[in-house]
Amino acid sequence: MIELDFEKSGGLIPAIAQDADDGAILMMAYINREAWEETLSTGRAVYFSRSRNRLWRKGEESGNVQLVREILVDCDGDTVVFKVEQVGGAACHTGHRSCFFRKVESGALVEIAPVLFDPAKVYKK
């Protein structure tokens, strides 16, 4: 098993999801050891949801799963990049392709990408 340094940050390390084809940064989340092991064994991105305090299998509600094509590990073993195939087109719970759909422009946040789905229709909580 590939060992990462989960202890340095209290059990969670950053995981950046990047589109395997075009290199776009889709999202940043956290993984714990259990999420890491499940990601490696299934080939699907699994994260740890800090707000729910449990594993978050990307796409479990929306169907927008991430199939992991490649994994990069940084020099300290405490951050990973998942190069993924984003099934369903949108990685962000807001309905955008990427969670990074805003940019700072003249001191304000400006949306620079369209919404691909209506979150109210997908997340019925």
Side-chain angles (χ1 to χ4, degrees):
M1 178 62 67
I2 301 161
E3 286 299 318
L4 300 177
D5 190 353
F6 289 101
E7 302 315 310
K8 188 183 295 182
S9 297
L12 298 177
I13 65 171
I16 299 160
Q18 180 180 31
D19 187 286
D21 291 329
D22 69 13
I25 302 299
L26 301 175
M27 55 178 273
M28 195 289 285
Y30 293 92
I31 60 171
N32 64 3
R33 187 176 310 279
E34 186 179 3
W36 170 244
E37 291 172 359
E38 187 171 324
T39 297
L40 290 177
S41 69
T42 65
R44 289 180 53 172
V46 178
Y47 302 101
F48 183 82
S49 170
R50 295 177 301 163
S51 60
R52 298 178 202 136
N53 197 33
R54 66 171 178 82
L55 289 186
W56 163 37
R57 293 162 182 90
K58 181 67 177 145
E60 64 191 356
E61 291 180 59
S62 67
N64 297 326
V65 300
Q66 293 175 342
L67 305 176
V68 178
R69 299 294 178 228
E70 184 177 8
I71 300 174
L72 305 176
V73 178
D74 80 329
C75 58
D76 294 323
D78 62 3
T79 302
V80 297
V81 175
F82 293 157
K83 291 192 175 190
V84 302
E85 176 187 337
Q86 180 63 57
V87 176
C92 187
H93 72 279
T94 64
H96 292 85
R97 175 177 184 237
S98 168
C99 292
F100 300 95
F101 60 90
R102 304 177 295 177
K103 73 174 183 176
V104 175
E105 190 173 281
S106 301
L109 286 176
V110 178
E111 286 199 22
I112 57 171
V115 174
L116 302 179
F117 71 82
D118 181 355
K121 292 180 181 174
V122 173
Y123 305 108
K124 302 189 187 326
K125 288 184 179 178

